[in-house]
Structure formats: structure tokens, C-alpha cells
Amino acid sequence: MKYICPMHPEVVSDKPGKCPKCGMELVMKHEGQMKEPTLLRQDATEGTVDHTAHHAQMGHNFKTLFFQTLPVTLVILFLSPNIQRWFGYSLNFPGLAILLFVLGSIVALYGGRPFYSAARLEIAERNFGMMTLVSLAVLSGYTFSVAATFLFPGESLWWEISTLVSAFLFGHWMEMRAVMGTTGALTELAKLIPPTANKLLESKIIQVQTSELVKGDKVVVRPGEKVPVDGKVIEGESSVNEAMITGESKPVFKKVGDEVVGGTVNNDGALTIEITKVGAESALAQIMNLIRQAQTTKPAVQRLADRAANILTLAAIVVGSGTFFYWGFFSPQGLIFAATLAITVIVIACPHALGLAIPTVTTITTQVGAKNGILIKDIKALEIARRLEWVVFDKTGTLTRGEFGVDRIAGQNSDEVLMIAASIDTLSQHSIARAVVAEAEKKKMALEKPENFLSFPGRGVSGKVKGTAYFLGNEALMNEKKVNLESLKKEIAKEIEEGKSFIWVAKEGNSEPLGVIILSDVIREESFAATKKLHEMKIKVAMITGDNESIARSVAGKLAIDIYFAEVKPEDKVSKIKELQKDGAVVSMVGDGVNDAPALTQSNVGIAIGAGTDVAVEAGQIVLIKNNPLDIVKIVELSRKTNNKMKQNLAWAAGYNIIAIPVAAGVLYRYGVLLRPEWAALLMSASSVIVVINALLLKRVKLAA
């Protein structure tokens, strides 16, 4: 059993405890079966924790403490001698100092508990951060005030530290509310799963909890209902809206044998579905897992921010100490003034904005990517994508559909040739035969029922159409039947050179063919736009294929590909990637299968395309739901926009501290500019909220591919 911090998922422990970074209680990381949908809908799936729920709980804790201590803080303000002088009233009475001590202790010691517990853990881990600074500021002021009350005459800082604690509690409450907006992706995805399903049991339909369903169960999905789980249609036909999974707005027609994904919406017909995947196996669960995986990885810029935050913590302690000694012993303002400035320095320097600058952007980026069909497993890969110099595509199934399509028909009567061939091929299961039949169906041809169907393995088929015998197949079959192909070969010389596939059609007893059907692996329409836009982005395009030289050359020429590698064995794809990387070039590999795994791993950015409902692609760092090469352009766009947001947040967080710390130390005091601790607390919290809001603006990004 593992325990994980809801705020910092990279913190994992074998036993319960508190996070060394934020002090929050570690929660159990669930593994195995999908959780009960009470938290499937809020908590998603196995191996996850509900960030939104825990952020809400943290926000609630800060909110509760804020409202509990606020009345006490207001009383302290009302009774404070400084406040009385400023507003011209007097409430001086015996025991006032003791009362302020009691009230101030309540706020400082009770209200500040979350900060102290977290600080203890930071110190134990030697990872000094924000909570250490907050605790140091409050406890320094508290210690000074206790001493001023009981040990030596002087003005205490009760109202300053009380308002400081209240400001911190309020700021963290607001911050949690803002952060919740960046962590709701998993919750929103989980809401796609309906809480109940219509289970078919012995010809009866009963309503059950979705969590109770297992593989092999049958469920009925009526028009307008959501598909509860992944499965296969065993009865009925309907169009299904898969936009929430694939991003494709056009409904997809489903018939018997087709797969459906849990969370999609059934439109107009009733479907009976046999469940094939539940829990962690489901497409939605795997999407959610990939999103979480991305949110827990750290890009290089995050590591830079972490180092900067640690340095800032130490700098704040040094500058704060120096501020106290300078103003306390080398100026006439005295120790109270010096202590106030020192506390202000420590407060204003809290590196919370730096800590939030990158994680908030990362979280939003994964959400934007998922909405665009891009599942980011490793955020570091997305960071690299903005610097791509080469995108290498696998050909079959990536740039092409991986299935045959009819290019054209040469011969005496193309419609007649297609009708004859398609009629006979209705009885064949060969992929080329299916392409011929599909072409006839696309042209809405009336096909005849063939007779005397006969198969010639590896060569072709024969049959009778309207009582006339025909045979169709490759050149070997034509040679057997003594059909002369030379005259027609001259007409298709270009296609022969390109290495395309051919189905020759001949009438029994004729020495000349009726015609030839020319087929090839169909290039995706999106591939043309993808290569064009990548070139516009100054990114070169390469192609790797196991096909022969002529086919590769033909596809590369049509797509304006910069370089291609033909007749490449799967195990040799890695060497081609290395070849492109040899001069330090940043290379992405885009592939669709297990054969591409080594090359995906070798590349700087491995992109698995065409995952469909099976999104568990391990080799790729980024997974594309749809078979769309154009989404590669979206990845580059998203990478560049994400990097800009990260830089903006870092510039703000760092620039804020560079300006604020000297002001807090009193360098502008001679000009009448002075920060109070409570104002410093509010400014520190405001800076954190600003970086969160800036990250949230990424949600407005439209990827134009």
C-alpha cells in the first residue's frame, strides 16, 4: 500500500504521515479495482487520488481557521495601543497586556497550526520552503511580543502577527479555490460515467450500479443515454456521439460487432452491449491515468523553479536577519521597527508563487491536450516538442490508412469492370477484395449474385456473373489463363513503377483483359495538411516504411516529405532515428504499433498515433486518440504556448521577489515607503493567485490545426 500527497503527487510513502512540502496528510493510493462510483464520479479510477476533493478539503480547513480566528483578530485590532493612537480613542485598562497576550496566542498558536506542522516536516527533510518562512515570521513576531509583554518594556506586535496569520489563512483559502480550477480534469472525466446502468438479465432489464458490472454482462443503452462501460454491440444500430472521448463532433454509426466506449452518448437507436472492459482496463480510466501521470512529471523549467524557491528561502532568512541587525543596532528606529521589517522580509519572500508557477500550467496543459485528443504521459516530452527539428512518421497506418483503396480503373469499361469484380469479390474475405466491394458500394452499384465461386490461393478468384465466367487476380493468374497484359501495362506504366497493387479482370476464353483495378494504401487527407503545416513551422518531415523503394518514393513525393527510408525492418528503425539525431537534432517519432516502440523510445519525443479506444500505449510519451497526423501540429502549438505561459509565470514570480524583498527590507523608508507584515502576507498570496489565473488563461487556447 502506498500513500501520496494530494497536492504533491511525486511525494510517495510506504506509511501514513504528512507531506514534507505542504504538511497535508498523505492519503491512500488506491490500486486494483476501480473505486465505487461515489468516487468514480469524483475520484475517477484506480491508482488516483481526487485532487479536487482534497484541494476542497484544504480550502475548507483554511476557511474554517480563518473565520474562527478573524473575530479574535478584530478584537486584538480594536484593543491594540497603536490602533487606539491612530484612530484617537483610548481603552487602556488593567490587564490589557495580558488579554492581548491571551488573544494573540490563540491566533498565533491555534490559527497557525497548519503552517507549523508543515514547517516541521520541511525542516526534517531539509527542504526549507514557504511554510518554514511563514512559521519563522509568525513565531519571531510572537516571541518578540511575549518578551515585550513579560520581560522588557516595549511595544508588542500582537496586532501585526494576528493580521498576518489571518491574511495567510485567507490567502491560502483563496489560493485553494483558484487551484481547484486547475485540478478538475479527472473529476470532469469521471462525471462522464453514469452512476447506473440497464443490465439485461434473463430477458429482463434491471437497473444496477455501474460499479457492479463485470466482463460479459449485457446492458441496454436507450436513445439519449450514456454508454456506461466499454463494450461490443451485440444487437441494434445507432449513431453515438464520441466527442467527449475523441474530440470528433460527427456522430459515429455503430452496428453489431462495433466497439463502444464508456461515457459516450447514444443518439437515436437502442443498443445492447456486451461488456468487454471494466475498471482500469476501460478507455476512460486509461485516459485519466495518463492525465495524472503527466501532472506528476516535472519539466526542466519546474526543476529550475524548485531550485530558485530553495535559494529564495535561504536568501530570505539571510536578508531578514541582516535587516533586523541593521535597523535594530545601526539606526535610531529601535528593535520593534527592526523586528517588524525582518518579519515583513520573511513573509514577502515566501516562494509560493514560484512553487505554483509551473505545476498550474502543467495541469491546465494536460486538460487542454485531452480536450484536443492529445494525451500527455510525460510533460517533459511536451516541453521538448517546441524545439522539434524533425518529425519522423511511420507510413502504414500513420500517414496512410493502412488499408487498400481504389485509385482508378483502366480498361474498356471501368464501371462494368468494377461491377464484375465487386460481384465476385463479395464472397472473398481478402483485404483487396473488400476494398473493391467498398468502391462499388460507394458508387451505389447494383451488384449481382455470383455463381461457381472459386478461389486460387495467392493468385485470385473466379466466378460467374449473369451466366458469364470471369476470373480476376494478379499477373500470375493471368499468365496461367494465357491473358496478354502487355498493351494495358503501357497504360499503367506509372502505377507499376510506383509499386501499386493491381487486380486484373478477364473474361473466360478472352486473350485480352477487360481491365485492371489499381489499388494502393490510401493516404490520409490529413497527412497532406500535416506535412504542409509542419514545414510552415520550419520543421522537417521524414518517413520510415518497410515498403519497397517505389512505394515509399511515391508517397513521399505526394506529401512533399524531405527524406524517406524504405525497406526498413522494425528493428532497424532505431538506427534511422539515431542518424537524424547525430548532429544534436531534436527528433520526434510518430508511430502506431508495437513495431515502432524502439524508435518511439529512442526519439526525443515519442508520439503514439491512432490509439482509438485502446489508449494504453506504453512506448509513446504522448498518445493521440485519433488517427490524425494533423494532431502533431497541435502538439507543437500546445508546447509553444505552454512554454510561453511557464516563462510568464516564472518571470512574474521571480520579478515580484526581486522588487518586493528590498522594499520590505526598508530601502525606500527614507522616501516614506514601508511595508507592514500583514500587507506583505496579502501581496504574497496575491502573487500566488496571479500565477494561477495566468495558467487558467491557457483554457482559452484554440489549437488551430
Side-chain angles (χ1 to χ4, degrees):
M1 190 65 67
K2 298 291 185 181
Y3 295 84
I4 188 170
C5 174
M7 277 291 288
H8 303 93
E10 68 273 15
V11 176
V12 181
S13 175
D14 294 326
K15 55 184 179 181
K18 294 186 178 182
C19 175
K21 295 187 175 182
C22 65
M24 188 174 177
E25 291 289 342
L26 301 179
V27 299
M28 189 180 299
K29 181 179 179 181
H30 297 278
E31 297 178 335
Q33 289 297 318
M34 182 180 290
K35 296 184 65 180
E36 190 79 31
T38 48
L39 291 186
L40 170 72
R41 300 167 59 80
Q42 303 154 2
D43 192 35
T45 180
E46 71 158 280
T48 72
V49 292
D50 182 5
H51 286 234
T52 303
H54 287 293
H55 285 138
Q57 183 60 49
M58 290 182 70
H60 176 74
N61 292 341
F62 286 125
K63 176 184 176 182
T64 301
L65 282 173
F66 170 72
F67 282 111
Q68 286 176 343
T69 57
L70 182 61
V72 183
T73 298
L74 293 175
V75 173
I76 292 172
L77 283 169
F78 187 66
L79 297 176
S80 172
N82 275 335
I83 302 298
Q84 292 184 46
R85 284 196 300 270
W86 292 348
F87 288 92
Y89 65 94
S90 179
L91 290 172
N92 194 20
F93 55 86
L96 175 60
I98 300 300
L99 179 59
L100 286 171
F101 161 71
V102 173
L103 296 176
S105 296
I106 292 172
V107 176
L109 302 181
Y110 176 73
R113 288 182 307 162
F115 310 121
Y116 307 143
S117 59
R120 283 196 301 270
L121 292 167
E122 286 184 353
I123 294 169
E125 296 287 330
R126 297 182 180 179
N127 183 27
F128 307 112
M130 182 193 66
M131 295 304 182
T132 302
L133 287 180
V134 172
S135 301
L136 184 61
V138 175
L139 292 177
S140 297
Y142 179 78
T143 302
F144 183 88
S145 298
V146 171
T149 303
F150 297 105
L151 300 180
F152 56 79
E155 292 188 15
S156 61
L157 301 173
W158 294 121
W159 80 270
E160 287 92 343
I161 63 171
S162 297
T163 52
L164 178 62
V165 171
S166 294
F168 271 124
L169 291 172
F170 179 79
H172 278 71
W173 171 30
M174 292 295 102
E175 184 184 299
M176 286 302 103
R177 290 188 61 179
V179 171
M180 281 177 64
T182 73
T183 57
L186 300 180
T187 300
E188 292 304 311
L189 280 173
K191 288 179 180 177
L192 295 176
I193 299 295
T196 60
N198 304 314
K199 183 177 178 180
L200 186 61
L201 189 64
E202 298 179 353
S203 302
K204 294 182 180 180
I205 296 177
I206 59 173
Q207 194 171 76
V208 299
Q209 294 292 313
T210 302
S211 60
E212 297 175 4
L213 298 172
V214 297
K215 288 183 184 179
D217 282 350
K218 298 176 177 61
V219 295
V220 175
V221 186
R222 301 184 179 97
E225 293 181 342
K226 288 183 178 180
V227 178
V229 285
D230 293 10
K232 182 173 64 177
V233 178
I234 59 174
E235 186 178 336
E237 295 182 347
S238 182
S239 61
V240 176
N241 186 345
E242 297 183 338
M244 63 289 296
I245 301 295
T246 65
E248 180 60 54
S249 59
K250 185 179 179 181
V252 181
F253 180 73
K254 300 290 184 180
K255 62 183 185 301
V256 174
D258 290 342
E259 293 183 348
V260 289
V261 179
T264 57
V265 180
N266 183 27
N267 285 338
D268 47 22
L271 296 174
T272 302
I273 298 166
E274 182 179 339
I275 297 170
T276 57
K277 296 178 182 178
V278 295
E281 297 178 346
S282 69
L284 192 60
Q286 294 185 52
I287 290 171
M288 296 165 75
N289 189 52
L290 291 180
I291 292 175
R292 269 192 43 76
Q293 190 174 335
Q295 292 177 351
T296 60
T297 59
K298 288 187 177 184
V301 68
Q302 173 64 66
R303 295 191 293 272
L304 175 64
D306 291 344
R307 289 196 298 271
N310 289 331
I311 293 170
L312 183 62
T313 299
L314 296 174
I317 295 172
V318 172
V319 174
S321 301
T323 299
F324 177 79
F325 281 104
Y326 174 79
W327 291 104
F329 299 100
F330 300 98
S331 74
Q333 277 72 24
L335 290 178
I336 292 177
F337 183 84
T340 303
L341 288 192
I343 291 168
T344 305
V345 168
I346 292 171
V347 170
I348 204 82
C350 286
H352 212 186
L354 270 173
L356 288 171
I358 306 306
T360 49
V361 175
T362 297
T363 305
I364 293 296
T365 296
T366 57
Q367 294 179 30
V368 173
K371 287 181 179 179
N372 285 272
I374 303 166
L375 304 179
I376 305 164
K377 293 171 62 179
D378 188 346
I379 200 70
K380 290 180 286 189
L382 186 73
E383 183 188 34
I384 295 170
R386 67 186 173 86
R387 299 188 283 112
L388 284 178
E389 298 172 63
W390 283 96
V391 172
V392 184
F393 288 96
D394 174 58
K395 181 186 80 72
T396 306
T398 303
L399 291 174
T400 66
R401 296 189 181 279
E403 59 188 38
F404 283 101
V406 176
D407 286 349
R408 72 184 185 99
I409 301 170
Q412 302 172 13
N413 187 324
S414 60
D415 287 344
E416 181 186 11
V417 170
L418 179 60
M419 187 276 293
I420 293 169
S423 296
I424 296 173
D425 275 338
T426 55
L427 298 180
S428 174
Q429 296 299 312
H430 196 281
S431 59
I432 290 181
R434 290 197 297 269
V436 173
V437 174
E439 180 71 11
E441 291 175 344
K442 185 169 71 175
K443 293 185 175 183
K444 298 181 179 180
M445 284 186 171
L447 302 182
E448 301 292 330
K449 184 178 180 179
E451 300 175 334
N452 299 341
F453 178 83
L454 184 63
S455 175
F456 304 96
R459 292 166 293 165
V461 296
S462 67
K464 284 187 177 182
V465 177
K466 294 182 179 180
T468 303
Y470 300 92
F471 47 92
L472 50 144
N474 57 23
E475 188 171 344
L477 181 61
M478 295 298 114
N479 290 335
E480 286 181 19
K481 301 295 183 180
K482 298 188 174 11
V483 177
N484 185 1
L485 307 177
E486 293 306 315
S487 60
L488 201 51
K489 277 186 176 182
K490 294 177 182 178
E491 186 177 337
I492 60 171
K494 183 180 178 183
E495 284 93 342
I496 293 173
E497 185 181 349
E498 292 175 349
K500 293 187 177 182
S501 298
F502 306 95
I503 295 180
W504 299 89
V505 182
K507 184 178 178 180
E508 184 75 45
N510 282 12
S511 61
E512 297 287 332
L514 294 176
V516 59
I517 301 173
I518 304 161
L519 307 98
S520 64
D521 190 359
V522 181
I523 298 176
R524 300 180 186 277
E525 288 297 323
E526 304 89 349
S527 298
F528 294 94
T531 54
K532 181 181 178 184
K533 290 194 174 186
L534 286 171
H535 283 143
E536 290 173 354
M537 292 175 149
K538 311 299 182 184
I539 299 172
K540 290 177 282 190
V541 181
M543 181 183 74
I544 293 180
T545 180
D547 285 341
N548 62 50
E549 172 74 20
S550 57
I551 293 176
R553 183 172 59 252
S554 174
V555 174
K558 291 177 180 178
L559 294 175
I561 286 172
D562 298 283
I563 188 172
Y564 65 88
F565 305 100
E567 300 178 21
V568 180
K569 297 178 181 178
E571 60 269 24
D572 295 331
K573 289 183 179 181
V574 170
S575 64
K576 301 301 180 184
I577 300 296
K578 288 181 177 179
E579 186 177 327
L580 294 175
Q581 292 174 320
K582 64 181 179 181
D583 295 324
V586 181
V587 178
S588 173
M589 172 67 191
V590 185
D592 68 336
V594 176
N595 290 340
D596 299 318
L600 290 170
T601 304
Q602 174 61 38
S603 68
N604 302 94
V605 181
I607 302 172
I609 190 172
T613 59
D614 184 13
V615 297
V617 181
E618 296 298 329
Q621 297 161 296
I622 299 174
V623 179
L624 303 182
I625 294 178
K626 296 182 288 183
N627 289 346
N628 189 351
L630 201 53
D631 285 344
I632 308 302
V633 179
K634 290 184 178 181
I635 290 173
V636 179
E637 284 188 2
L638 182 60
S639 174
R640 293 176 179 179
K641 293 180 185 297
T642 297
N643 184 260
N644 287 338
K645 278 297 176 192
M646 287 180 176
K647 287 180 177 178
Q648 290 167 13
N649 273 4
L650 279 181
W652 166 258
Y656 155 80
N657 281 291
I658 290 171
I659 295 171
I661 290 177
V663 174
V667 297
L668 299 180
Y669 176 64
R670 68 178 64 184
Y671 304 105
V673 179
L674 189 68
L675 277 176
R676 303 282 309 176
E678 63 275 14
W679 288 108
L682 288 172
L683 285 172
M684 185 277 295
S685 297
S687 71
S688 299
V689 173
I690 287 171
V691 299
V692 172
I693 292 173
N694 189 45
L696 286 168
L697 293 176
L698 264 176
K699 286 189 173 183
R700 299 184 178 182
V701 166
K702 303 292 183 184
L703 302 179

